[in-house]
Amino acid sequence: MPRGVVSLSVSVGAIALGVGLALGGSAGVLAGTGWEWTSWLLIATAAVFVAVLRYSSDELAPIALGATVFTFLAPGVMGAGVPGFVAVLGWALYALFAAAAVSLAVQLSGRRADWSLAVLWLVSIAAATARVIWRDPFRERRCRPYCGQNSLVVARHGQWVHDVDVALAYAAVLVTVMAIRRAVATSDSLWRRTGAILVLAAVALVSIRGAVEPRAQPIDGADRIVQTATVVLLTVALVCAAIPQLMAVVVKWRVRRLAQDLARVHDLDAIREVLRTSTGDGTLQIETVAHDGEFMQRPLSDACLTEVRRGPRTIALISHRADRRELVRATLTPTLVLALENEHLLKRAQAQLNELREARRRIVDRGDAERHRLERDLHDGAQQHLLVLGIGLASAATSAPTQDQEVLKVLGIHAAKALSELRSVGHSAALSVLDDVGLAESLRSLAEETVTPLVLRFHAMDRRMPGQSVNRVVYSTVRSVLENPATSSAVRVVVDVKFGDAVNLTISVEGATLASLADVEDRIGALGGSWMTCDSVDGTTCEARIPCE
Amino acid sequence: MRVIVVDDMLLVREGLVRLLLERGIEVVASAGDASNIEPLIAQHSPDVVILDIRMPPTFTDEGLVAASEIRRQHPGVATLVLSQYLESSYAIRLLREAPDRVGYLLKDRVMDIATLSDALRRLTEGETVIDPTIVTRVLGRRREGTELENLTARERQVLELLAEGLSNQAIARRLSVNDRTVEAHTTQIFQKFGLEQSRDLHRRVLAVLTYLRSVA
């Protein structure tokens, strides 16, 4: 049988029994009547509860819980005048679980965080042991109703034993309260801790009853106060257990609704809102993690972090109030974790995409910078020297003898040609003029240089003009299309430039089919833009969209 | 003729000064940038200031800025901007920002002293000078279905010279026709373009160049 089903059905059974015992037991206490049948019931309930808890979890916690239960239960049962074989059974169980409790207590006391729990168990074991010694149930098998009277200890110090007995009963109540608090604070299952509270409370009641009954016929005022206090405690414990249980139901309902919502919309804000409402923690923050080792800023000093993991990877971090850890965990159902993983994968993909885009942009920028440098070097170096050479030749020609003049003039023409060729190299490479005169003017100049007729259309010239990098990409794109070998055979090229949030560039090459323009795609992609070409019988149409930063 | 030469490259500046002196043009001063041009003009009162377009500190358009400033402050002083760029938009900007008597020539022209001295002479005579290569580029652009196709060969010749900044008389001399014929041609051209003909030579050049650049 699946463990989940066992755990659930037993937990439900335990709660039902606990409630029944609480109601029946308290009624019995208040009426001051028969306890034997409740003792039987308690033994059976506790045995089943402990056994199933043992098999429904791999952890040692259920053993410890069982030990605690029997630590309280055994002396109560044995002192309450049950048949001998039941008392022996109780003894055996008590010995078994006391040993387990001690071993666990020793183990836990090694861990600083749990030392108080260990002390708690040790105290309750000591209390129970003391009471068994005083009660001395094996002296007389059928010690009903005044078992203690047959004990040597009790016979000699009757009143004193009774006082200690009542004091121990109070101690048992105190320990129960602490155990409840502890159970609420440490358990990671709502069902289990609910069961623990109920059983602990019921056992405390029986224990007290066992301590006070032999002497109180009828029950005196002081005992009644103790019993009433126990009943109140039991009720409070029930309510305390019920609230998180109800909360858990609400959380599950909300998460189910979130799952439906998530099918429609992916939104980290929506997930955060659900988590905030279901845990009642308005300061809760959630962040998906793109890379391992990424941390989030803690908004509050007393906030703690819960890691959401899937496989080896941390997919999200949740910062919340320290006392909401369990509620947060309860909310993290597989659906929610899946939604978070989805967000995490999106964020991871986006981060990788951004890195790639940055890298591409850096490559393009470096290329531009190189071209710029080349152009400046040409302008400030070779071109100037050629100019000086040309001036020198022209100057020499005026004063040279007639026969040399012709040679000097030819040399001068060569210098001029070299200068003009260098200029075209520098100009085609450089974008400095573009930065200076703007996109529209530069494109018009481009139209003057090209053999193919170029029609330029500018639309919706926004007040907000694109930045330098966008201008450069638009210019380079048009230039690349015009310089494409296929374009020279085109009838004409029509360039449409629309300005707005993004520059929409449409280039229609009429009567020619363009070859691949990979460099253009790279440049546009580097700015996060898109590039599409469409070939038809009329030619190639290219469409680019470049977002303005 | 008195000239001031402004160019940040020392060798080019010196070469240009020597060339002009050999040609009998008086170079009254020279400078490496345009920041101190005002006192030089006040001191030497030149006829023309020759400016390189790209100069310190930003190496972008200092020459253009200085030219329009000089034209505004000293209407009697003509300016000639020399540029390495075949960029008609710079020429148009100069025409737009500076009142008449400005010139825009490719820097290569300094090797052709005849063209350079001719440009200087035209500027002192009140004409506007635009480099023929730039005019050829603007005019040479292939267009379909525009008014430019409806011009006769002669009108096209006139348009070219007109865009270079020549006056009607100068065009007539260049084409060996009489002034009245040139006037008729220019009227025809402006009518075809749908432009209003200005008496002002400078505005005429600007209008024609702007039209030619913008028409698709």
Side-chain angles (χ1 to χ4, degrees):
Chain A
M1 205 178 354
R3 179 178 291 173
V5 177
V6 175
S7 168
L8 186 70
S9 53
V10 168
S11 301
V12 171
I15 287 176
L17 275 172
V19 172
L21 281 173
L23 295 175
S26 54
V29 167
L30 292 174
T33 54
W35 269 96
E36 288 79 0
W37 65 273
T38 32
S39 300
W40 275 96
L41 211 56
L42 265 176
I43 290 170
T45 310
V48 170
F49 186 73
V50 169
V52 175
L53 277 183
R54 171 69 191 89
Y55 289 107
S56 66
S57 168
D58 293 334
E59 295 161 20
L60 282 168
I63 306 178
L65 184 64
T68 315
V69 167
F70 277 87
T71 305
F72 285 110
L73 188 60
V77 167
M78 286 175 284
V82 292
F85 72 93
V86 176
V88 171
L89 189 70
W91 257 105
L93 284 171
Y94 165 66
L96 194 70
F97 287 107
V102 171
S103 75
L104 186 73
V106 170
Q107 191 188 335
L108 288 178
S109 60
R111 300 211 314 246
R112 275 183 66 187
D114 291 313
W115 67 270
S116 59
L117 191 64
V119 167
L120 208 113
W121 281 323
L122 287 172
V123 165
S124 57
I125 289 164
T129 311
R131 293 186 59 202
V132 168
I133 291 166
W134 281 317
R135 292 233 162 218
D136 201 5
F138 294 102
R139 192 119 191 148
E140 178 59 54
R141 280 188 174 185
R142 297 180 177 279
C143 55
R144 185 187 307 193
Y146 298 112
C147 178
Q149 283 180 352
N150 295 323
S151 161
L152 288 171
V153 185
V154 177
R156 284 183 199 158
H157 313 282
Q159 186 55 46
W160 187 75
V161 167
H162 177 72
D163 292 344
V164 172
D165 218 13
V166 172
L168 278 174
Y170 280 109
V173 173
L174 187 68
V175 169
T176 307
V177 172
M178 289 169 75
I180 290 170
R181 199 204 146 275
R182 200 63 217 176
V184 170
T186 57
S187 173
D188 50 354
S189 155
L190 286 169
W191 290 110
R192 197 174 294 157
R193 79 178 178 213
T194 310
I197 291 163
L198 291 172
V199 171
L200 283 172
V203 164
L205 192 66
V206 172
S207 185
I208 292 160
R209 181 68 197 153
V212 297
E213 194 192 20
R215 294 265 170 179
Q217 283 291 352
I219 298 169
D220 64 19
D223 288 337
R224 201 174 281 280
I225 289 168
V226 175
Q227 288 161 358
T228 312
T230 314
V231 171
V232 169
L233 263 177
L234 197 62
T235 316
V236 170
L238 260 173
V239 171
C240 287
I243 288 172
Q245 206 66 48
L246 275 173
M247 284 295 284
V249 171
V250 172
V251 166
K252 274 186 186 156
W253 177 73
R254 279 184 188 284
V255 170
R256 197 171 301 140
R257 219 179 57 173
L258 174 69
Q260 288 167 356
D261 289 347
L262 286 173
R264 287 194 293 272
V265 61
H266 297 282
D267 191 0
L268 200 61
D269 289 344
I271 299 174
R272 186 182 54 228
E273 278 317 303
V274 167
L275 274 170
R276 279 187 174 179
T277 341
S278 58
T279 56
D281 180 1
T283 63
L284 185 139
Q285 292 290 342
I286 186 161
E287 240 169 63
T288 47
V289 179
H291 301 286
D292 286 342
E294 205 173 87
F295 292 105
M296 74 190 281
Q297 294 284 320
R298 293 187 186 199
L300 292 169
S301 56
D302 65 336
C304 73
L305 280 182
T306 292
E307 240 182 322
V308 185
R309 298 182 71 88
R310 193 154 162 90
R313 277 211 308 267
T314 303
I315 57 172
L317 291 170
I318 302 172
S319 134
H320 52 84
R321 275 165 51 186
D323 57 350
R324 303 299 157 100
R325 186 180 287 275
E326 287 165 63
L327 279 172
V328 169
R329 281 191 188 156
T331 317
L332 289 171
T333 55
T335 324
L336 196 70
V337 173
L338 205 64
L340 282 175
E341 192 186 23
N342 195 30
E343 289 291 319
H344 155 77
L345 288 175
L346 272 176
K347 192 172 176 183
R348 205 179 159 86
Q350 194 59 49
Q352 281 169 352
L353 197 68
N354 287 345
E355 273 168 30
L356 280 177
R357 197 172 283 161
E358 257 325 293
R360 194 143 76 154
R361 182 196 277 256
R362 277 201 299 276
I363 291 167
V364 170
D365 282 352
R366 204 167 298 151
D368 280 351
E370 269 310 300
R371 287 199 187 97
H372 217 109
R373 196 183 58 76
L374 173 74
E375 195 267 348
R376 190 172 307 151
D377 286 355
L378 281 177
H379 180 273
D380 295 345
Q383 277 172 301
Q384 300 295 335
H385 290 303
L386 273 173
L387 208 54
V388 173
L389 177 70
I391 291 169
L393 285 170
S395 174
T398 51
S399 53
T402 329
Q403 67 268 27
D404 295 338
Q405 276 189 5
E406 202 53 40
V407 179
L408 288 170
K409 268 184 187 161
V410 170
L411 286 176
I413 290 167
H414 279 295
K417 267 190 178 167
L419 200 57
S420 145
E421 274 166 27
L422 267 185
R423 181 172 43 237
S424 72
V425 169
H427 191 62
S428 67
L431 299 157
S432 54
V433 176
L434 167 70
D435 296 343
D436 195 18
V437 303
L439 181 62
E441 288 299 311
S442 278
L443 287 179
R444 284 193 187 112
S445 295
L446 200 56
E448 287 164 12
E449 284 171 29
T450 36
V451 190
T452 319
L454 178 67
V455 178
L456 290 170
R457 289 179 194 144
F458 299 99
H459 305 273
M461 298 286 273
D462 213 313
R463 248 176 269 121
R464 192 162 52 87
M465 291 302 286
Q468 199 182 60
S469 50
V470 175
N471 275 345
R472 285 181 172 196
V473 169
V474 173
Y475 180 81
S476 313
T477 304
V478 176
R479 181 157 210 127
S480 295
V481 169
L482 291 175
E483 282 171 358
N484 194 284
T487 310
S488 56
S489 61
V491 179
R492 66 169 188 167
V493 178
V494 181
V495 176
D496 275 276
V497 193
K498 291 192 184 80
F499 298 95
D501 289 339
V503 175
N504 284 292
L505 177 69
T506 312
I507 308 172
S508 305
V509 182
E510 294 173 8
T513 310
L514 288 184
S516 157
L517 287 158
D519 60 322
V520 169
E521 213 172 331
D522 278 350
R523 282 179 160 276
I524 294 172
L527 290 186
S530 60
W531 169 254
M532 241 171 52
T533 60
C534 174
D535 294 333
S536 72
V537 282
D538 300 328
T540 304
T541 306
C542 315
E543 279 184 28
R545 185 186 154 81
I546 305 136
C548 303
E549 295 129 304
Chain B
M1 193 191 299
R2 297 162 65 80
V3 170
I4 292 180
V5 176
V6 186
D7 192 314
D8 60 309
M9 297 295 285
L10 179 71
L11 285 175
V12 175
R13 191 167 70 230
E14 296 295 308
L16 185 55
V17 168
R18 202 173 60 239
L19 208 58
L20 290 170
L21 287 173
E22 279 170 10
R23 195 73 186 186
I25 296 165
E26 192 185 346
V27 180
V28 290
S30 66
D33 63 71
S35 58
N36 271 325
I37 195 72
E38 278 299 314
L40 283 180
I41 293 172
Q43 190 186 338
H44 299 289
S45 53
D47 297 311
V48 186
V49 178
I50 301 177
L51 293 151
D52 185 17
I53 192 169
R54 229 160 82 155
M55 281 189 297
T58 67
F59 294 95
T60 51
D61 58 354
E62 278 78 6
L64 291 180
V65 176
S68 54
E69 199 52 36
I70 293 167
R71 288 298 305 133
R72 211 161 287 136
Q73 304 283 335
H74 308 275
V77 181
T79 56
L80 176 63
V81 175
L82 299 177
S83 167
Q84 299 267 41
Y85 300 118
L86 265 174
E87 188 55 54
S88 45
S89 58
Y90 280 138
I92 288 178
R93 190 179 141 194
L94 182 67
L95 290 174
R96 207 171 270 155
E97 288 176 5
D100 58 355
R101 292 186 1 139
V102 289
Y104 185 92
L105 278 189
L106 270 185
K107 214 165 180 185
D108 307 20
R109 301 290 170 204
V110 297
M111 297 193 276
D112 181 3
I113 189 65
T115 312
L116 185 64
S117 55
D118 181 52
L120 291 173
R121 183 190 51 76
R122 275 170 59 197
L123 284 172
T124 51
E125 285 171 6
E127 282 188 23
T128 299
V129 176
I130 297 296
D131 197 285
T133 320
I134 289 176
V135 173
T136 312
R137 266 166 64 99
V138 174
L139 265 172
R141 200 175 136 196
R142 273 172 63 189
R143 299 170 177 85
E144 275 157 13
T146 59
E147 288 303 320
L148 211 57
E149 286 184 322
N150 298 335
L151 296 184
T152 62
R154 180 59 97 179
E155 280 169 353
R156 223 183 143 87
Q157 272 180 318
V158 172
L159 174 64
E160 211 168 309
L161 295 173
L162 190 152
E164 282 176 32
L166 268 68
S167 65
N168 281 1
Q169 290 81 0
I171 296 171
R173 270 201 303 280
R174 196 76 73 86
L175 297 177
S176 312
V177 292
N178 66 42
D179 293 3
R180 298 277 302 273
T181 317
V182 173
E183 218 160 282
H185 281 315
T186 53
T187 311
Q188 194 65 26
I189 292 166
F190 274 83
Q191 249 175 21
K192 280 182 179 175
F193 287 175
L195 297 174
E196 206 171 314
Q197 201 184 170
S198 170
R199 286 265 156 224
D200 185 349
L201 201 59
H202 185 78
R203 289 216 186 121
R204 192 170 82 164
V205 178
L206 180 60
V208 167
L209 280 183
T210 312
Y211 173 79
L212 289 176
R213 246 178 94 78
S214 61
V215 69

